[in-house]
């Protein structure tokens, strides 16, 4: 018996509503963005086991070279692509998003109940908002604690409170938001945010 995750309006409103993070940026949020359509698209997917929190800090290679996951407190039932979203949306994850798509295509299980096209489309939409949640978290923690070193972040599996990691998250968001008509209106927001974080990183290096 497992909980059906994100299976209520409050959770969905919070998840999709994170887009308001972009409101104060130049140009604001495009009027073409339809939050209601996104919420409907992401609702009702509670058929597959997901670990959630599938960030690289929650995995290790054992003595025999096998991948082992730990920290399953968020596991339950949702859409299976969401585990890949957690991994790719981890701001400290170093692989390019297009390379990760190639990995997913290569390892895709055609018996999972979705076509590869459906699977990747859902991944793109969900990942768009997952990344916004990560950027919000990074911004909040930076305001509270200041920017952290990459070494500390990796050592303690901390939130990626470094402008380079924030910019990486924005790049991922821009790539995946552009893959679906539902989220394409947000691509410009991710690119603007990436430019801002990259500027912060540059100023810190030159200081």
């Amino acid at each position: 018996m497992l909980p059906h995750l994100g299976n209520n309006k409050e959770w969905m409103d919070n998840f999709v509503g994170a887009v308001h993070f972009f409101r104060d940026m130049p140009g604001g949020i495009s009027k073409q963005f339809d939050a209601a359509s996104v919420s409907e698209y992401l609702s009702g997917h509670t058929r597959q086991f997901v670990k959630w929190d599938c960030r690289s800090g929650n995995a290790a290679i054992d003595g025999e070279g096998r991948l082992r996951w730990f920290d399953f407190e968020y596991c339950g039932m949702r859409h299976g692509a969401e585990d890949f979203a957690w991994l790719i949306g981890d701001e400290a994850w170093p692989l390019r998003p297009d390379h990760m798509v190639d990995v997913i295509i290569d390892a895709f299980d055609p018996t999972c109940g979705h076509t590869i096209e459906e699977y990747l489309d859902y991944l793109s939409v969900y990942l768009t908002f997952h990344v916004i949640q990560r950027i919000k978290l990074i911004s909040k923690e930076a305001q509270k604690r200041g920017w952290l070193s990459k070494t500390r972040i990796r050592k303690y599996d901390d939130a990626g409170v470094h402008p380079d990691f924030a910019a990486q998250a924005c790049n991922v968001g821009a790539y995946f938001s552009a893959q679906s008509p539902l989220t394409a209106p947000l691509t410009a927001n991710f690119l603007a945010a990436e430019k801002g974080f990259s500027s912060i990183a540059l100023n810190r290096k030159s200081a």
Side-chain angles (χ1 to χ4, degrees):
M1 300 294 292
L2 289 168
H4 286 202
L5 305 171
N7 200 30
N8 59 74
K9 186 177 184 300
E10 181 181 2
W11 184 90
M12 190 62 68
D13 286 347
N14 176 71
F15 187 64
V16 177
V19 72
H20 293 306
F21 176 79
F22 291 142
R23 277 185 305 188
D24 297 328
M25 291 184 177
I29 301 171
S30 170
K31 293 181 179 179
Q32 294 181 325
F33 173 68
D34 186 346
S37 294
V38 171
S39 295
E40 181 180 0
Y41 179 78
L42 294 175
S43 296
H45 300 279
T46 56
R47 298 180 180 179
Q48 293 174 295
F49 172 81
V50 289
K51 178 190 182 297
W52 269 12
D53 207 10
C54 273
R55 297 173 300 107
S56 56
N58 286 334
I61 304 298
D62 69 12
E64 297 180 358
R66 292 175 298 187
L67 177 67
R68 300 295 191 182
W69 289 98
F70 51 87
D71 287 350
F72 282 83
E73 66 266 36
Y74 297 121
C75 70
M77 303 295 288
R78 278 288 295 178
H79 191 295
E82 293 177 15
D83 277 347
F84 284 108
W86 277 83
L87 179 63
I88 301 169
D90 178 0
E91 57 276 4
W93 187 245
L95 299 184
R96 285 172 27 188
D98 57 327
H99 289 178
M100 288 304 302
V101 169
D102 289 340
V103 171
I104 292 171
I105 293 173
D106 182 63
F108 182 70
D109 177 7
T111 68
C112 71
H114 308 282
T115 66
I116 185 61
E117 292 79 14
E118 292 169 341
Y119 195 89
L120 290 176
D121 189 62
Y122 184 91
L123 173 70
S124 296
V125 176
Y126 182 90
L127 187 44
T128 296
F129 297 93
H130 179 79
V131 168
I132 297 175
Q133 295 282 358
R134 298 304 298 178
I135 296 171
K136 282 182 59 181
L137 174 63
I138 292 170
S139 299
K140 178 181 177 181
E141 292 298 313
Q143 292 175 1
K144 183 168 62 175
R145 298 189 283 165
W147 297 109
L148 306 178
S149 73
K150 294 180 182 179
T151 300
R152 172 195 168 95
I153 291 167
R154 292 190 174 106
K155 180 178 180 179
Y156 295 104
D157 186 29
D158 207 339
V161 189
H162 189 286
D164 285 344
F165 285 159
Q168 162 68 8
C170 292
N171 280 327
V172 172
Y175 177 88
F176 282 99
S177 64
Q179 306 307 309
S180 171
L182 286 172
T183 51
L186 303 177
T187 302
N189 297 108
F190 282 111
L191 294 174
E194 188 276 332
K195 184 177 180 180
F197 286 122
S198 293
S199 177
I200 293 172
L202 184 62
N203 289 336
R204 291 180 79 238
K205 290 175 182 177
S206 62

